[in-house]
Amino acid sequence: MKLHWFALPFIWLLSFEAWGNLGNSNSSSQKEDLNKMLGHLTTQLKEDYDLNLLPQIRVLREQSKQLGEKRLQAKSLLLEGLIRQHFGDYKNSLVLHNDALNIVSGMNAPDLEASIYLALAQLEMSLERFRFAQQLLERAYTLITKRVSAEQVEQLLAEYALWQGTLHIMRGSYRQALSILSSVVSQEQKELSIKLALARAWAHLNIGEHLNASKLLQSVAGEKSALQKNLKLRVRYKLMSAMAFLQDGQFTNAIDEANEALGETFGTRFLTEQSMLQNTLAGAYAQLGDFEQAHLYLKRFAMTEQALNLQKRNNKLLQLEAQYTLAAQKQQLSVLEKDNALQAQQLIQHQQKIDNAHLAQQRGVLGMLLVALVFGFGYWRWQNKRYLTVLKQQVAERTAELAERNKRLQALSFTDSLTGLNNRHYFFSVIDAQVNSSAVATHAATSEKHEMIFCLLDIDHFKKVNDSYGHAAGDTVLQSVADILKQCTRDSDLVIRWGGEEFLMVMPNMTHAEATEAVERVRRQVECFPFVVNEQAIQVTCSIGFAPYPLSNEGGKSLTWEQVLELADNGLYMAKEESRNAWVGLKGLSRPFNAPTEQLISDYKKLISNGQLLASTSYET
């Protein structure tokens, strides 16, 4: 969760301009700074999809909007959409991509419009909606070949070929994929050239041509610097290499390569790669006759596939089911209304026929028939009202059923399946309301300062637990820690599975002294808890960092809750660096701090040492 050091000067510059000093600098210089900021963010995004990039991207978008730079604004929307897509937030990613497309549609920027269509195609491919992805790729190709300038065509055609070939591979058309992927070569960008080569190698391996795949992988192996920077490319390269060794009969090499790649996927969202690596390892061990290891990796492969299926169901199937149910209900109501109107029309026609027939009969018979008709009409009205009452009851029941389905769907998307705690998606949906509510409570307090405490907890040496006892043991530890946090917090506190072995606690209406007691209680409970894995007792400890909200500098400018969360993260890292099994809690400023807010974050430890930041620790400093 640390911010990269080289991005800090640009964040400071953009934040300073947002506070009202934009007019004091030259317009061309501002645009140049924004373009540099975009370049750095794009580079960081290629290396790691980090949620900490979101505040920087939003600052870039706001500044671009103030300067009227629509192109930069659209690119910032596209960057945020890619990050949200990586973390499974497909709904907001689609909204952001479409917002960028709306901005670009009024401009003469066919290259940027084609890039947005390619990004939307990637999103549809992630949801396995291949028909929509193909339509978007065709729109991008039309723009590239008919409207994009000559100097940009080669690069965009290479990107189009990459995703068109990938779509063919996902559909099983490997020969067609090879035809597309072999038609272009990207000389300008090494990363794109590597992606094209890996996609071709993937297609060759799927049709058993491991020699051709090996030649492509040898050419990729020469690009060590590009592979070192990009984790996903490195994992894909090692996966392809392991599959090629397996097909070539080099089973030991396949195992070594796959194990190395699998180790790099821990703590990431690369479930697809993990599944393929585990399947490759199972096949290699089976060929070597080590059926125990083969069975182990087959079990892990099955568990990963189950997680992938659950992820796909959460992202697509349940939403489609809810939409289908609503549409079906509306259609059924429409049919019932039409049927009711038809019955009424038929009854009126029948009544007219009876009236015409009775005119020719005697008055006595006519009177009797009229009485019978009135009675029949009254009975029909009664039956009709009764029918409508039943129909309304059915509609109410189906509406309640749909509401319950939507409620379950929302609960599923807001809950971490392993620990039962709320996840990041839930946190981002409620934190603004929590912060506003805490601000009102703090303003109303008169006797003692009450604050909202942001607290981050990380399990010490968790990787050793996974490596020594297996991932099932790690899951047991995570579940036990989650239970401890539930027991040690109040009903009003938020407890979040933040990711991996990290947990977030948001504790409103609490003093610093109460916060120290709470985190110390959590630390002791974790330290003393009898964790049992594989019928063996192990000791687990944790490190904690926390910070209060609100917090202000000398100019009266309050830090955002995102910045306070970063301060809590700095405290967590300081506790790990200094001691472990410890906590560091920020209390406030000892005196007014006349410096940019970002310096509080970057010089956290130094400011505590010289007394400008007041902090409590569970160890002697």
Side-chain angles (χ1 to χ4, degrees), residues 573-605:
Y573 277 91
M574 182 174 172
K576 281 186 170 293
E577 181 180 348
E578 298 293 335
S579 174
R580 294 189 188 269
N581 190 22
W583 52 262
V584 175
L586 180 61
K587 186 174 183 180
L589 301 172
S590 63
R591 56 182 179 273
F593 184 72
N594 187 15
T597 302
E598 286 71 15
Q599 191 173 344
L600 284 173
I601 299 171
S602 61
D603 297 341
Y604 180 86
K605 185 176 179 180

PDB file of all heavy atoms in Angstrom, residues 573-605:
ATOM      1  N   TYR A 573       3.552  -0.536   8.931  1.00  0.00           N
ATOM      2  CA  TYR A 573       4.883  -0.886   8.440  1.00  0.00           C
ATOM      3  C   TYR A 573       5.973  -0.541   9.467  1.00  0.00           C
ATOM      4  O   TYR A 573       6.982  -1.228   9.575  1.00  0.00           O
ATOM      5  CB  TYR A 573       5.155  -0.183   7.121  1.00  0.00           C
ATOM      6  CG  TYR A 573       4.576  -0.911   5.949  1.00  0.00           C
ATOM      7  CD1 TYR A 573       3.293  -0.620   5.488  1.00  0.00           C
ATOM      8  CD2 TYR A 573       5.292  -1.931   5.314  1.00  0.00           C
ATOM      9  CE1 TYR A 573       2.744  -1.290   4.415  1.00  0.00           C
ATOM     10  CE2 TYR A 573       4.751  -2.624   4.251  1.00  0.00           C
ATOM     11  CZ  TYR A 573       3.483  -2.304   3.794  1.00  0.00           C
ATOM     12  OH  TYR A 573       2.959  -2.982   2.744  1.00  0.00           O
ATOM     13  N   MET A 574       5.759   0.553  10.230  1.00  0.00           N
ATOM     14  CA  MET A 574       6.730   0.917  11.259  1.00  0.00           C
ATOM     15  C   MET A 574       6.739  -0.141  12.371  1.00  0.00           C
ATOM     16  O   MET A 574       7.807  -0.523  12.886  1.00  0.00           O
ATOM     17  CB  MET A 574       6.386   2.298  11.826  1.00  0.00           C
ATOM     18  CG  MET A 574       7.364   2.810  12.876  1.00  0.00           C
ATOM     19  SD  MET A 574       6.975   4.508  13.355  1.00  0.00           S
ATOM     20  CE  MET A 574       8.113   4.717  14.728  1.00  0.00           C
ATOM     21  N   ALA A 575       5.561  -0.629  12.745  1.00  0.00           N
ATOM     22  CA  ALA A 575       5.479  -1.678  13.771  1.00  0.00           C
ATOM     23  C   ALA A 575       6.180  -2.947  13.300  1.00  0.00           C
ATOM     24  O   ALA A 575       6.881  -3.611  14.066  1.00  0.00           O
ATOM     25  CB  ALA A 575       4.021  -1.968  14.100  1.00  0.00           C
ATOM     26  N   LYS A 576       6.027  -3.300  12.021  1.00  0.00           N
ATOM     27  CA  LYS A 576       6.701  -4.488  11.498  1.00  0.00           C
ATOM     28  C   LYS A 576       8.212  -4.281  11.451  1.00  0.00           C
ATOM     29  O   LYS A 576       8.991  -5.182  11.774  1.00  0.00           O
ATOM     30  CB  LYS A 576       6.167  -4.794  10.082  1.00  0.00           C
ATOM     31  CG  LYS A 576       4.833  -5.495  10.071  1.00  0.00           C
ATOM     32  CD  LYS A 576       4.455  -5.899   8.669  1.00  0.00           C
ATOM     33  CE  LYS A 576       3.232  -6.810   8.692  1.00  0.00           C
ATOM     34  NZ  LYS A 576       3.516  -8.099   9.318  1.00  0.00           N
ATOM     35  N   GLU A 577       8.624  -3.075  11.051  1.00  0.00           N
ATOM     36  CA  GLU A 577      10.053  -2.800  10.920  1.00  0.00           C
ATOM     37  C   GLU A 577      10.752  -2.766  12.278  1.00  0.00           C
ATOM     38  O   GLU A 577      11.881  -3.229  12.434  1.00  0.00           O
ATOM     39  CB  GLU A 577      10.225  -1.458  10.185  1.00  0.00           C
ATOM     40  CG  GLU A 577      11.684  -1.073   9.974  1.00  0.00           C
ATOM     41  CD  GLU A 577      11.785   0.257   9.254  1.00  0.00           C
ATOM     42  OE1 GLU A 577      10.758   0.746   8.733  1.00  0.00           O
ATOM     43  OE2 GLU A 577      12.896   0.808   9.228  1.00  0.00           O
ATOM     44  N   GLU A 578      10.074  -2.216  13.282  1.00  0.00           N
ATOM     45  CA  GLU A 578      10.717  -2.026  14.574  1.00  0.00           C
ATOM     46  C   GLU A 578      10.642  -3.261  15.485  1.00  0.00           C
ATOM     47  O   GLU A 578      11.555  -3.526  16.257  1.00  0.00           O
ATOM     48  CB  GLU A 578      10.086  -0.833  15.293  1.00  0.00           C
ATOM     49  CG  GLU A 578      10.246   0.501  14.586  1.00  0.00           C
ATOM     50  CD  GLU A 578      11.701   0.963  14.551  1.00  0.00           C
ATOM     51  OE1 GLU A 578      12.466   0.523  15.437  1.00  0.00           O
ATOM     52  OE2 GLU A 578      12.073   1.720  13.647  1.00  0.00           O
ATOM     53  N   SER A 579       9.514  -3.991  15.417  1.00  0.00           N
ATOM     54  CA  SER A 579       9.353  -5.028  16.431  1.00  0.00           C
ATOM     55  C   SER A 579       8.619  -6.267  15.927  1.00  0.00           C
ATOM     56  O   SER A 579       9.034  -7.372  16.171  1.00  0.00           O
ATOM     57  CB  SER A 579       8.605  -4.427  17.631  1.00  0.00           C
ATOM     58  OG  SER A 579       8.315  -5.417  18.575  1.00  0.00           O
ATOM     59  N   ARG A 580       7.497  -6.079  15.215  1.00  0.00           N
ATOM     60  CA  ARG A 580       6.465  -7.093  14.959  1.00  0.00           C
ATOM     61  C   ARG A 580       5.784  -7.470  16.278  1.00  0.00           C
ATOM     62  O   ARG A 580       6.315  -7.214  17.350  1.00  0.00           O
ATOM     63  CB  ARG A 580       7.010  -8.337  14.248  1.00  0.00           C
ATOM     64  CG  ARG A 580       7.507  -8.048  12.831  1.00  0.00           C
ATOM     65  CD  ARG A 580       7.828  -9.320  12.092  1.00  0.00           C
ATOM     66  NE  ARG A 580       8.473  -9.049  10.807  1.00  0.00           N
ATOM     67  CZ  ARG A 580       7.860  -8.893   9.668  1.00  0.00           C
ATOM     68  NH1 ARG A 580       6.546  -8.959   9.653  1.00  0.00           N
ATOM     69  NH2 ARG A 580       8.535  -8.670   8.549  1.00  0.00           N
ATOM     70  N   ASN A 581       4.623  -8.088  16.171  1.00  0.00           N
ATOM     71  CA  ASN A 581       3.801  -8.354  17.359  1.00  0.00           C
ATOM     72  C   ASN A 581       3.663  -7.058  18.165  1.00  0.00           C
ATOM     73  O   ASN A 581       3.867  -7.035  19.371  1.00  0.00           O
ATOM     74  CB  ASN A 581       4.396  -9.466  18.206  1.00  0.00           C
ATOM     75  CG  ASN A 581       3.426  -9.906  19.306  1.00  0.00           C
ATOM     76  OD1 ASN A 581       2.212  -9.691  19.193  1.00  0.00           O
ATOM     77  ND2 ASN A 581       3.954 -10.498  20.338  1.00  0.00           N
ATOM     78  N   ALA A 582       3.361  -5.978  17.451  1.00  0.00           N
ATOM     79  CA  ALA A 582       3.332  -4.652  18.076  1.00  0.00           C
ATOM     80  C   ALA A 582       2.344  -3.766  17.327  1.00  0.00           C
ATOM     81  O   ALA A 582       1.807  -4.141  16.289  1.00  0.00           O
ATOM     82  CB  ALA A 582       4.728  -4.016  18.051  1.00  0.00           C
ATOM     83  N   TRP A 583       2.120  -2.588  17.899  1.00  0.00           N
ATOM     84  CA  TRP A 583       1.264  -1.620  17.231  1.00  0.00           C
ATOM     85  C   TRP A 583       1.854  -0.230  17.366  1.00  0.00           C
ATOM     86  O   TRP A 583       2.583   0.073  18.303  1.00  0.00           O
ATOM     87  CB  TRP A 583      -0.177  -1.659  17.764  1.00  0.00           C
ATOM     88  CG  TRP A 583      -0.307  -1.551  19.273  1.00  0.00           C
ATOM     89  CD1 TRP A 583      -0.470  -2.558  20.154  1.00  0.00           C
ATOM     90  CD2 TRP A 583      -0.292  -0.339  20.060  1.00  0.00           C
ATOM     91  NE1 TRP A 583      -0.570  -2.103  21.434  1.00  0.00           N
ATOM     92  CE2 TRP A 583      -0.460  -0.714  21.411  1.00  0.00           C
ATOM     93  CE3 TRP A 583      -0.164   1.012  19.757  1.00  0.00           C
ATOM     94  CZ2 TRP A 583      -0.495   0.201  22.454  1.00  0.00           C
ATOM     95  CZ3 TRP A 583      -0.196   1.935  20.791  1.00  0.00           C
ATOM     96  CH2 TRP A 583      -0.359   1.535  22.121  1.00  0.00           C
ATOM     97  N   VAL A 584       1.535   0.615  16.379  1.00  0.00           N
ATOM     98  CA  VAL A 584       1.929   2.033  16.387  1.00  0.00           C
ATOM     99  C   VAL A 584       0.677   2.841  16.055  1.00  0.00           C
ATOM    100  O   VAL A 584       0.046   2.614  15.017  1.00  0.00           O
ATOM    101  CB  VAL A 584       3.035   2.330  15.356  1.00  0.00           C
ATOM    102  CG1 VAL A 584       3.312   3.834  15.310  1.00  0.00           C
ATOM    103  CG2 VAL A 584       4.309   1.571  15.700  1.00  0.00           C
ATOM    104  N   GLY A 585       0.302   3.773  16.946  1.00  0.00           N
ATOM    105  CA  GLY A 585      -0.918   4.550  16.753  1.00  0.00           C
ATOM    106  C   GLY A 585      -0.638   6.041  16.738  1.00  0.00           C
ATOM    107  O   GLY A 585      -0.026   6.576  17.672  1.00  0.00           O
ATOM    108  N   LEU A 586      -1.071   6.726  15.684  1.00  0.00           N
ATOM    109  CA  LEU A 586      -0.896   8.176  15.589  1.00  0.00           C
ATOM    110  C   LEU A 586      -1.949   8.877  16.435  1.00  0.00           C
ATOM    111  O   LEU A 586      -3.133   8.547  16.384  1.00  0.00           O
ATOM    112  CB  LEU A 586      -1.031   8.611  14.117  1.00  0.00           C
ATOM    113  CG  LEU A 586      -0.877  10.103  13.843  1.00  0.00           C
ATOM    114  CD1 LEU A 586       0.498  10.599  14.251  1.00  0.00           C
ATOM    115  CD2 LEU A 586      -1.130  10.385  12.364  1.00  0.00           C
ATOM    116  N   LYS A 587      -1.498   9.848  17.242  1.00  0.00           N
ATOM    117  CA  LYS A 587      -2.408  10.589  18.109  1.00  0.00           C
ATOM    118  C   LYS A 587      -2.757  11.952  17.529  1.00  0.00           C
ATOM    119  O   LYS A 587      -3.888  12.389  17.595  1.00  0.00           O
ATOM    120  CB  LYS A 587      -1.780  10.763  19.492  1.00  0.00           C
ATOM    121  CG  LYS A 587      -2.716  11.400  20.526  1.00  0.00           C
ATOM    122  CD  LYS A 587      -2.071  11.409  21.908  1.00  0.00           C
ATOM    123  CE  LYS A 587      -3.034  11.970  22.963  1.00  0.00           C
ATOM    124  NZ  LYS A 587      -2.416  11.984  24.299  1.00  0.00           N
ATOM    125  N   GLY A 588      -1.797  12.663  16.946  1.00  0.00           N
ATOM    126  CA  GLY A 588      -2.062  13.966  16.360  1.00  0.00           C
ATOM    127  C   GLY A 588      -0.775  14.729  16.154  1.00  0.00           C
ATOM    128  O   GLY A 588       0.328  14.172  16.188  1.00  0.00           O
ATOM    129  N   LEU A 589      -0.905  16.044  15.932  1.00  0.00           N
ATOM    130  CA  LEU A 589       0.229  16.925  15.716  1.00  0.00           C
ATOM    131  C   LEU A 589       0.602  17.615  17.034  1.00  0.00           C
ATOM    132  O   LEU A 589      -0.273  18.130  17.737  1.00  0.00           O
ATOM    133  CB  LEU A 589      -0.098  17.967  14.655  1.00  0.00           C
ATOM    134  CG  LEU A 589      -0.480  17.427  13.271  1.00  0.00           C
ATOM    135  CD1 LEU A 589      -0.964  18.549  12.398  1.00  0.00           C
ATOM    136  CD2 LEU A 589       0.687  16.730  12.627  1.00  0.00           C
ATOM    137  N   SER A 590       1.916  17.646  17.356  1.00  0.00           N
ATOM    138  CA  SER A 590       2.339  18.317  18.585  1.00  0.00           C
ATOM    139  C   SER A 590       2.293  19.836  18.438  1.00  0.00           C
ATOM    140  O   SER A 590       2.138  20.570  19.400  1.00  0.00           O
ATOM    141  CB  SER A 590       3.753  17.877  18.962  1.00  0.00           C
ATOM    142  OG  SER A 590       4.674  18.270  17.947  1.00  0.00           O
ATOM    143  N   ARG A 591       2.437  20.295  17.223  1.00  0.00           N
ATOM    144  CA  ARG A 591       2.341  21.735  16.934  1.00  0.00           C
ATOM    145  C   ARG A 591       1.915  21.885  15.476  1.00  0.00           C
ATOM    146  O   ARG A 591       2.011  20.932  14.694  1.00  0.00           O
ATOM    147  CB  ARG A 591       3.688  22.411  17.182  1.00  0.00           C
ATOM    148  CG  ARG A 591       4.855  21.833  16.415  1.00  0.00           C
ATOM    149  CD  ARG A 591       6.150  22.571  16.788  1.00  0.00           C
ATOM    150  NE  ARG A 591       7.299  22.037  16.106  1.00  0.00           N
ATOM    151  CZ  ARG A 591       8.040  21.023  16.525  1.00  0.00           C
ATOM    152  NH1 ARG A 591       7.691  20.399  17.646  1.00  0.00           N
ATOM    153  NH2 ARG A 591       9.082  20.597  15.864  1.00  0.00           N
ATOM    154  N   PRO A 592       1.486  23.085  15.091  1.00  0.00           N
ATOM    155  CA  PRO A 592       1.061  23.263  13.688  1.00  0.00           C
ATOM    156  C   PRO A 592       2.151  22.847  12.724  1.00  0.00           C
ATOM    157  O   PRO A 592       3.327  23.165  12.916  1.00  0.00           O
ATOM    158  CB  PRO A 592       0.748  24.759  13.606  1.00  0.00           C
ATOM    159  CG  PRO A 592       0.423  25.161  15.006  1.00  0.00           C
ATOM    160  CD  PRO A 592       1.273  24.306  15.883  1.00  0.00           C
ATOM    161  N   PHE A 593       1.754  22.157  11.672  1.00  0.00           N
ATOM    162  CA  PHE A 593       2.697  21.602  10.707  1.00  0.00           C
ATOM    163  C   PHE A 593       2.534  22.332   9.384  1.00  0.00           C
ATOM    164  O   PHE A 593       1.563  22.134   8.675  1.00  0.00           O
ATOM    165  CB  PHE A 593       2.415  20.096  10.528  1.00  0.00           C
ATOM    166  CG  PHE A 593       3.391  19.406   9.623  1.00  0.00           C
ATOM    167  CD1 PHE A 593       4.701  19.170  10.045  1.00  0.00           C
ATOM    168  CD2 PHE A 593       3.012  18.989   8.358  1.00  0.00           C
ATOM    169  CE1 PHE A 593       5.590  18.527   9.204  1.00  0.00           C
ATOM    170  CE2 PHE A 593       3.897  18.365   7.530  1.00  0.00           C
ATOM    171  CZ  PHE A 593       5.197  18.129   7.953  1.00  0.00           C
ATOM    172  N   ASN A 594       3.476  23.228   9.092  1.00  0.00           N
ATOM    173  CA  ASN A 594       3.376  24.078   7.894  1.00  0.00           C
ATOM    174  C   ASN A 594       4.115  23.393   6.742  1.00  0.00           C
ATOM    175  O   ASN A 594       5.232  23.755   6.388  1.00  0.00           O
ATOM    176  CB  ASN A 594       3.968  25.455   8.166  1.00  0.00           C
ATOM    177  CG  ASN A 594       3.725  26.414   7.008  1.00  0.00           C
ATOM    178  OD1 ASN A 594       2.888  26.139   6.147  1.00  0.00           O
ATOM    179  ND2 ASN A 594       4.444  27.499   6.973  1.00  0.00           N
ATOM    180  N   ALA A 595       3.503  22.391   6.174  1.00  0.00           N
ATOM    181  CA  ALA A 595       4.092  21.670   5.046  1.00  0.00           C
ATOM    182  C   ALA A 595       2.967  20.938   4.312  1.00  0.00           C
ATOM    183  O   ALA A 595       1.886  20.768   4.848  1.00  0.00           O
ATOM    184  CB  ALA A 595       5.158  20.686   5.541  1.00  0.00           C
ATOM    185  N   PRO A 596       3.213  20.520   3.072  1.00  0.00           N
ATOM    186  CA  PRO A 596       2.168  19.792   2.340  1.00  0.00           C
ATOM    187  C   PRO A 596       1.722  18.542   3.082  1.00  0.00           C
ATOM    188  O   PRO A 596       2.505  17.921   3.813  1.00  0.00           O
ATOM    189  CB  PRO A 596       2.868  19.432   1.015  1.00  0.00           C
ATOM    190  CG  PRO A 596       3.980  20.409   0.890  1.00  0.00           C
ATOM    191  CD  PRO A 596       4.430  20.732   2.277  1.00  0.00           C
ATOM    192  N   THR A 597       0.473  18.193   2.869  1.00  0.00           N
ATOM    193  CA  THR A 597      -0.091  17.018   3.539  1.00  0.00           C
ATOM    194  C   THR A 597       0.689  15.749   3.196  1.00  0.00           C
ATOM    195  O   THR A 597       0.882  14.875   4.039  1.00  0.00           O
ATOM    196  CB  THR A 597      -1.557  16.854   3.111  1.00  0.00           C
ATOM    197  OG1 THR A 597      -2.267  18.042   3.441  1.00  0.00           O
ATOM    198  CG2 THR A 597      -2.186  15.674   3.820  1.00  0.00           C
ATOM    199  N   GLU A 598       1.160  15.642   1.943  1.00  0.00           N
ATOM    200  CA  GLU A 598       1.864  14.443   1.521  1.00  0.00           C
ATOM    201  C   GLU A 598       3.127  14.200   2.337  1.00  0.00           C
ATOM    202  O   GLU A 598       3.606  13.077   2.462  1.00  0.00           O
ATOM    203  CB  GLU A 598       2.225  14.526   0.037  1.00  0.00           C
ATOM    204  CG  GLU A 598       1.036  14.321  -0.904  1.00  0.00           C
ATOM    205  CD  GLU A 598       0.083  15.504  -0.880  1.00  0.00           C
ATOM    206  OE1 GLU A 598       0.493  16.569  -0.378  1.00  0.00           O
ATOM    207  OE2 GLU A 598      -1.049  15.350  -1.359  1.00  0.00           O
ATOM    208  N   GLN A 599       3.723  15.297   2.922  1.00  0.00           N
ATOM    209  CA  GLN A 599       4.946  15.125   3.712  1.00  0.00           C
ATOM    210  C   GLN A 599       4.655  14.396   5.010  1.00  0.00           C
ATOM    211  O   GLN A 599       5.508  13.702   5.559  1.00  0.00           O
ATOM    212  CB  GLN A 599       5.591  16.491   3.967  1.00  0.00           C
ATOM    213  CG  GLN A 599       7.008  16.390   4.553  1.00  0.00           C
ATOM    214  CD  GLN A 599       7.693  17.734   4.644  1.00  0.00           C
ATOM    215  OE1 GLN A 599       7.263  18.693   4.011  1.00  0.00           O
ATOM    216  NE2 GLN A 599       8.741  17.801   5.422  1.00  0.00           N
ATOM    217  N   LEU A 600       3.430  14.570   5.536  1.00  0.00           N
ATOM    218  CA  LEU A 600       3.043  13.815   6.724  1.00  0.00           C
ATOM    219  C   LEU A 600       3.121  12.318   6.453  1.00  0.00           C
ATOM    220  O   LEU A 600       3.494  11.526   7.321  1.00  0.00           O
ATOM    221  CB  LEU A 600       1.606  14.183   7.132  1.00  0.00           C
ATOM    222  CG  LEU A 600       1.385  15.528   7.836  1.00  0.00           C
ATOM    223  CD1 LEU A 600      -0.097  15.778   7.988  1.00  0.00           C
ATOM    224  CD2 LEU A 600       2.072  15.559   9.175  1.00  0.00           C
ATOM    225  N   ILE A 601       2.778  11.944   5.217  1.00  0.00           N
ATOM    226  CA  ILE A 601       2.740  10.519   4.863  1.00  0.00           C
ATOM    227  C   ILE A 601       4.144  10.014   4.552  1.00  0.00           C
ATOM    228  O   ILE A 601       4.588   8.991   5.061  1.00  0.00           O
ATOM    229  CB  ILE A 601       1.796  10.309   3.669  1.00  0.00           C
ATOM    230  CG1 ILE A 601       0.352  10.750   4.043  1.00  0.00           C
ATOM    231  CG2 ILE A 601       1.807   8.859   3.211  1.00  0.00           C
ATOM    232  CD1 ILE A 601      -0.588  10.786   2.870  1.00  0.00           C
ATOM    233  N   SER A 602       4.891  10.781   3.721  1.00  0.00           N
ATOM    234  CA  SER A 602       6.199  10.300   3.279  1.00  0.00           C
ATOM    235  C   SER A 602       7.245  10.331   4.399  1.00  0.00           C
ATOM    236  O   SER A 602       8.131   9.484   4.453  1.00  0.00           O
ATOM    237  CB  SER A 602       6.683  11.140   2.102  1.00  0.00           C
ATOM    238  OG  SER A 602       6.824  12.508   2.489  1.00  0.00           O
ATOM    239  N   ASP A 603       7.178  11.324   5.320  1.00  0.00           N
ATOM    240  CA  ASP A 603       8.164  11.445   6.410  1.00  0.00           C
ATOM    241  C   ASP A 603       7.588  11.015   7.753  1.00  0.00           C
ATOM    242  O   ASP A 603       7.919  11.556   8.810  1.00  0.00           O
ATOM    243  CB  ASP A 603       8.667  12.894   6.497  1.00  0.00           C
ATOM    244  CG  ASP A 603       9.400  13.320   5.242  1.00  0.00           C
ATOM    245  OD1 ASP A 603       9.820  12.423   4.485  1.00  0.00           O
ATOM    246  OD2 ASP A 603       9.552  14.536   5.013  1.00  0.00           O
ATOM    247  N   TYR A 604       6.703  10.025   7.737  1.00  0.00           N
ATOM    248  CA  TYR A 604       5.968   9.616   8.926  1.00  0.00           C
ATOM    249  C   TYR A 604       6.916   9.257  10.094  1.00  0.00           C
ATOM    250  O   TYR A 604       6.824   9.817  11.192  1.00  0.00           O
ATOM    251  CB  TYR A 604       5.094   8.413   8.558  1.00  0.00           C
ATOM    252  CG  TYR A 604       4.261   7.850   9.685  1.00  0.00           C
ATOM    253  CD1 TYR A 604       3.005   8.385   9.977  1.00  0.00           C
ATOM    254  CD2 TYR A 604       4.696   6.756  10.431  1.00  0.00           C
ATOM    255  CE1 TYR A 604       2.237   7.864  10.987  1.00  0.00           C
ATOM    256  CE2 TYR A 604       3.925   6.230  11.441  1.00  0.00           C
ATOM    257  CZ  TYR A 604       2.695   6.793  11.720  1.00  0.00           C
ATOM    258  OH  TYR A 604       1.930   6.271  12.711  1.00  0.00           O
ATOM    259  N   LYS A 605       7.841   8.372   9.842  1.00  0.00           N
ATOM    260  CA  LYS A 605       8.721   7.900  10.916  1.00  0.00           C
ATOM    261  C   LYS A 605       9.623   9.028  11.421  1.00  0.00           C
ATOM    262  O   LYS A 605       9.859   9.178  12.630  1.00  0.00           O
ATOM    263  CB  LYS A 605       9.558   6.730  10.407  1.00  0.00           C
ATOM    264  CG  LYS A 605      10.428   6.087  11.474  1.00  0.00           C
ATOM    265  CD  LYS A 605      11.142   4.872  10.913  1.00  0.00           C
ATOM    266  CE  LYS A 605      12.043   4.232  11.966  1.00  0.00           C
ATOM    267  NZ  LYS A 605      12.750   3.050  11.418  1.00  0.00           N
TER     268      LYS A 605
END
